[in-house]
Amino acid sequence: MMHTSIQLDAAITAEAMKHADATMFDSLQQAAFNYFPKASNPRNGLVADTTRQGSPASIAVAGFALSSYPVAVEHGWIERDAAVQACLSCMRFFWNSDQTGSPEATGYQGFYFHFLDMETGVRVWQSELSLIDTALLIAGMLTAAAYFDASTPAEVEMRELADRLYRRVNWRWAQYKGATVAQGWKPECGFLHYGWEGYSEAILLYALGLGSPTHPFTAASFEAWTVTYQWENLYGYDFLYAGPLFIHQFSHAWIDFRGIRDRFMREKRSDYFENSRRATYVQREYAIRNPHSFIGYADNCWGLSAGEGPSAEPRLIGAQQQRFFGYAARGVPYGPDDGTIAGPSITASLVFAPEIALPAMRNLFATGAPHQGEALRSSGINASFNALDACWISEGEFGLDQGMTVLMIENYRSGLLWELGRQSRILQTGLRRAGFKGGWL
């Protein structure tokens, strides 16, 4: 009888934990989604990069918004018609935008400048014509078009616009040195003097570029990139190295890499999903070892990624002079590292390693973790926190973080974005041209 009672208590505890996790997911996802209607210009569908005063629009954040509307409709956070109109406003703007490539334009060759004026949509901050951010925008357009499949005039128009916008992108133009793909272009100086080297979030870019029926990358482009990969063994884990966690996460918001392999991963007997799982464990192990003895790092508090951190002056902490890096791509184990944890990088790890991401999320969500809890609970997820600098918490909300929170929690819960991606002939074609085989392909 006692044994049965213990089992019953354990079952009740497990069920209570499951319910608490579901409540946490609901709270985080809905709060994160609410960023997009709040930060959008309804007249053109552009979405602010952050909630800070005067923030320009980010084309990448617009892509995350477009991808988040299907999730919101599924959960009942927004009516389908309202979601469709929001997506249409965005796509209509980009279709009719200035594509002359002038310093005051919105884009060129089907690509778009990274940051745009929220009202006019013209380029701001002398930002670059960004390939990766255009890819994130196009991924959002294709996701919305795949989900909104009704025969209503509005949804038909959305699908037609997404197709035309995708076909307009001249991916081949960006191969400025044979097989090499540029990272960006500026009207003042032409192509940026660096391409994609080392594993990065660009895998989505290559899949979309290779899948194009109009102006695709050449087949050699993907191979030219993968030869720059760096395979390492860290803390006993063999994996394709990239220091910041976002690199191991962004492309996975749309593409289900489980069981599909390109040439590189076939040789390593792995896949990109498994690689991200190992990268997540490497991050946790780094926090446990805590080589710089930073406050807060632990088995349930980890996550170094790109984002904002304190911009404080260097000062003596303990026995060492500590520098702070402001906005930086923090990484493991080679740095930079100034004690700043990126909370959204933990939620985006949920699909890869829930057994370690969930305890970390619960820790951040718990009322017993003051600065961490505030960073997670205040309005969804703030970008980052740092216990060294008077419990510093990033101000405002960042659209990329909110988008990844919506999409990656949803992939963990239902796999919705992955299912839409698996149905995409564009992604199927692009991945096959990149050499991917097996699994759902």
Side-chain angles (χ1 to χ4, degrees):
M1 288 292 291
M2 184 176 293
H3 182 66
T4 303
S5 177
I6 293 173
Q7 288 180 320
L8 183 60
D9 289 344
I12 292 172
T13 302
E15 188 61 31
M17 183 70 76
K18 184 177 179 181
H19 177 75
D21 288 342
T23 300
M24 176 176 65
F25 296 150
D26 289 339
S27 175
L28 291 175
Q29 274 190 293
Q30 187 169 5
F33 168 74
N34 287 341
Y35 175 92
F36 299 114
K38 177 176 62 180
S40 295
N41 181 343
R43 292 180 294 280
N44 56 23
L46 294 178
V47 189
D49 184 42
T50 77
T51 55
R52 294 175 179 175
Q53 187 69 29
S55 172
S58 160
I59 62 171
V61 172
F64 276 105
L66 291 164
S67 299
S68 295
Y69 279 106
V71 179
V73 171
E74 286 289 302
H75 287 277
W77 304 328
I78 189 172
E79 293 295 327
R80 186 180 181 103
D81 288 347
V84 169
Q85 289 306 315
C87 294
L88 266 178
S89 293
C90 181
M91 293 190 202
R92 285 169 179 163
F93 166 77
F94 280 105
W95 178 250
N96 295 306
S97 65
D98 183 345
Q99 276 278 305
T100 62
S102 74
E104 292 78 35
T106 298
Y108 185 52
Q109 297 285 346
F111 297 98
Y112 305 97
F113 291 108
H114 191 167
F115 295 110
L116 307 174
D117 183 273
M118 281 291 293
E119 293 296 327
T120 65
V122 303
R123 174 197 189 211
V124 297
W125 291 352
Q126 289 194 309
S127 57
E128 80 286 7
L129 194 80
S130 174
L131 267 74
I132 184 59
D133 293 286
T134 296
L136 294 169
L137 173 62
I138 294 294
M141 293 175 177
L142 296 176
T143 298
Y147 178 81
F148 294 108
D149 58 358
S151 57
T152 63
E155 296 193 24
V156 169
E157 180 189 357
M158 184 198 299
R159 294 194 295 276
E160 291 175 348
L161 278 173
D163 183 62
R164 281 185 282 173
L165 285 156
Y166 174 63
R167 287 171 176 266
R168 186 168 71 176
V169 183
N170 189 354
W171 307 94
R172 185 72 59 87
W173 167 79
Q175 289 185 259
Y176 68 114
K177 287 185 178 179
T180 304
V181 173
Q183 286 198 14
W185 175 90
K186 287 190 173 186
E188 295 85 3
C189 58
F191 287 110
L192 304 183
H193 297 298
Y194 42 86
W196 294 98
E197 292 190 3
Y199 178 53
S200 74
E201 73 279 16
I203 195 165
L204 173 69
L205 163 68
Y206 281 91
L208 290 173
L210 286 164
S212 173
T214 50
H215 314 288
F217 290 143
T218 62
S221 64
F222 190 72
E223 189 76 12
W225 177 43
T226 59
V227 296
T228 69
Y229 280 1
Q230 181 179 345
W231 186 260
E232 290 204 14
N233 180 283
L234 295 172
Y235 309 137
Y237 295 97
D238 292 309
F239 78 121
L240 176 54
Y241 171 77
L245 260 179
F246 83 93
I247 287 177
H248 297 282
Q249 299 168 340
F250 268 34
S251 295
H252 296 259
W254 293 275
I255 303 176
D256 180 4
F257 286 102
R258 293 174 298 180
I260 63 172
R261 299 174 173 180
D262 62 355
R263 178 199 57 79
F264 183 91
M265 283 298 177
R266 283 194 295 274
E267 291 179 356
K268 299 299 183 183
R269 298 183 179 181
S270 185
D271 61 44
Y272 288 97
F273 182 90
E274 168 62 20
N275 196 75
S276 293
R277 188 189 71 83
R278 296 179 190 179
T280 305
Y281 269 89
V282 166
Q283 287 262 348
R284 177 174 176 263
E285 182 61 28
Y286 175 85
I288 292 171
R289 299 189 183 202
N290 196 6
H292 303 293
S293 301
F294 287 141
I295 300 171
Y297 283 23
D299 62 348
N300 61 0
C301 189
W302 43 266
L304 273 66
S305 196
E308 191 177 45
S311 297
E313 291 296 318
R315 64 176 182 270
L316 195 66
I317 297 178
Q320 64 181 14
Q321 188 77 0
Q322 179 60 50
R323 293 175 56 209
F324 296 97
F325 303 114
Y327 193 95
R330 294 167 177 82
V332 166
Y334 308 122
D337 183 10
D338 59 1
T340 301
I341 295 290
S345 72
I346 300 173
T347 64
S349 300
L350 187 61
V351 294
F352 307 115
E355 65 279 5
I356 62 173
L358 259 176
M361 288 177 67
R362 292 170 187 147
N363 175 52
L364 295 185
F365 204 69
T367 56
H371 66 284
Q372 296 102 319
E374 184 182 345
L376 193 60
R377 292 195 313 274
S378 58
S379 55
I381 292 187
N382 288 60
S384 47
F385 59 87
N386 188 310
L388 295 177
D389 187 37
C391 291
W392 175 91
I393 300 173
S394 58
E395 294 182 11
E397 301 160 48
F398 291 69
L400 292 178
D401 297 325
Q402 309 308 322
M404 282 297 287
T405 297
V406 174
L407 271 54
M408 293 302 257
I409 291 180
E410 191 59 34
N411 276 332
Y412 174 73
R413 302 181 83 176
S414 74
L416 174 64
L417 288 311
W418 286 341
E419 177 58 30
L420 294 173
R422 287 194 297 267
Q423 295 172 11
S424 169
R425 291 185 179 180
I426 290 167
L427 288 178
Q428 290 175 22
T429 300
L431 289 167
R432 288 190 180 112
R433 287 177 177 171
F436 283 85
K437 299 177 182 177
W440 58 268
L441 273 176

